[in-house]
Amino acid sequence: AAGEAATTGPVDVTKYIVEKGTKLEYTEDDGSTWKNVEGAKDIPGNAQFKITVEYEHLPLDALRAAGGKLTYTLPGIFREAVAHGYIHGSDHAEEIGTIEATGNTATVTFNKAWLDSRPEDHSVIDGDFYVRCKADLTKIPNGGDETVIIGGASFHFHFKPDLLAQYADVTIEK
């Protein structure tokens, strides 16, 4: 079973996110081609995004106290987090937990047995996971310039202009 009875809320991974390895990518197709957003121009409003979160030095004691759970909340310009599946160990052979998303938050739950099996001389863990999402067009400036901060990483990119006019659904009632 994943986790144990928590004595604290889930660990917010944000302060453990590092620049190296953290990525923000987008796709204009079915997800077969991902492009780095850094410096991108004219990203369409219907693009899908993938945030790869790389974290380091997350204290195992805090994770154990949180029932093996850590959370990540999307930056404000994103919506509809999508994440489901398994978290694998460093050798990619062992499933050490699960990831799922609700609303704008992804939750990683590490297996209690895996947490309990960490050697006593290991007080922290490093790792990564990814979350897919969409842009919240109502939060994109009309000029399209955007800077997103993900933990210790910063990404600057540009959306196409007039996104709401191009991609928003409008209902007119009489």
Side-chain angles (χ1 to χ4, degrees), residues 87-105:
I87 301 296
H88 294 272
S90 56
D91 62 0
H92 297 284
E94 180 184 10
E95 291 174 3
I96 63 172
T98 59
I99 184 169
E100 55 188 37
T102 304
N104 286 349
T105 302

Side-chain angles (χ1 to χ4, degrees), residues 33-94:
T33 305
W34 291 95
K35 304 172 192 170
N36 189 326
V37 299
E38 189 59 44
K41 302 285 184 208
D42 295 333
I43 295 174
N46 62 350
Q48 291 183 60
F49 292 84
K50 181 167 76 171
I51 300 170
T52 301
V53 173
E54 180 91 18
Y55 59 91
E56 290 182 353
H57 309 299
L58 192 142
L60 280 167
D61 287 346
L63 198 53
R64 286 185 185 106
K69 293 182 184 293
L70 68 85
T71 59
Y72 173 71
T73 301
L74 295 175
I77 70 154
F78 296 117
R79 63 185 174 89
E80 298 179 28
V82 177
H84 54 278
Y86 298 98
I87 301 296
H88 294 272
S90 56
D91 62 0
H92 297 284
E94 180 184 10

Side-chain angles (χ1 to χ4, degrees), residues 6-167:
T7 56
T8 67
V11 175
D12 180 350
V13 75
T14 303
K15 69 181 179 181
Y16 303 102
I17 298 172
V18 295
E19 183 174 2
K20 181 183 175 211
T22 296
K23 295 187 282 190
L24 177 57
E25 299 169 293
Y26 73 101
T27 185
E28 297 178 52
D29 56 30
D30 60 3
S32 60
T33 305
W34 291 95
K35 304 172 192 170
N36 189 326
V37 299
E38 189 59 44
K41 302 285 184 208
D42 295 333
I43 295 174
N46 62 350
Q48 291 183 60
F49 292 84
K50 181 167 76 171
I51 300 170
T52 301
V53 173
E54 180 91 18
Y55 59 91
E56 290 182 353
H57 309 299
L58 192 142
L60 280 167
D61 287 346
L63 198 53
R64 286 185 185 106
K69 293 182 184 293
L70 68 85
T71 59
Y72 173 71
T73 301
L74 295 175
I77 70 154
F78 296 117
R79 63 185 174 89
E80 298 179 28
V82 177
H84 54 278
Y86 298 98
I87 301 296
H88 294 272
S90 56
D91 62 0
H92 297 284
E94 180 184 10
E95 291 174 3
I96 63 172
T98 59
I99 184 169
E100 55 188 37
T102 304
N104 286 349
T105 302
T107 301
V108 174
T109 304
F110 290 94
N111 296 333
K112 182 181 181 323
W114 181 80
L115 282 174
D116 290 346
S117 72
R118 297 302 84 209
E120 285 188 27
D121 62 342
H122 287 74
S123 61
V124 297
I125 61 169
D126 302 342
D128 63 44
F129 59 88
Y130 73 87
V131 180
R132 291 186 184 191
C133 54
K134 297 177 182 175
D136 182 341
L137 302 183
T138 65
K139 296 184 179 176
I140 307 298
N142 279 342
D145 282 322
E146 189 59 60
T147 298
V148 171
I149 307 294
I150 301 172
S154 177
F155 302 91
H156 184 76
F157 52 101
H158 185 82
F159 284 95
K160 286 184 175 179
D162 300 321
L163 290 177
L164 284 174
Q166 292 181 46
Y167 296 100

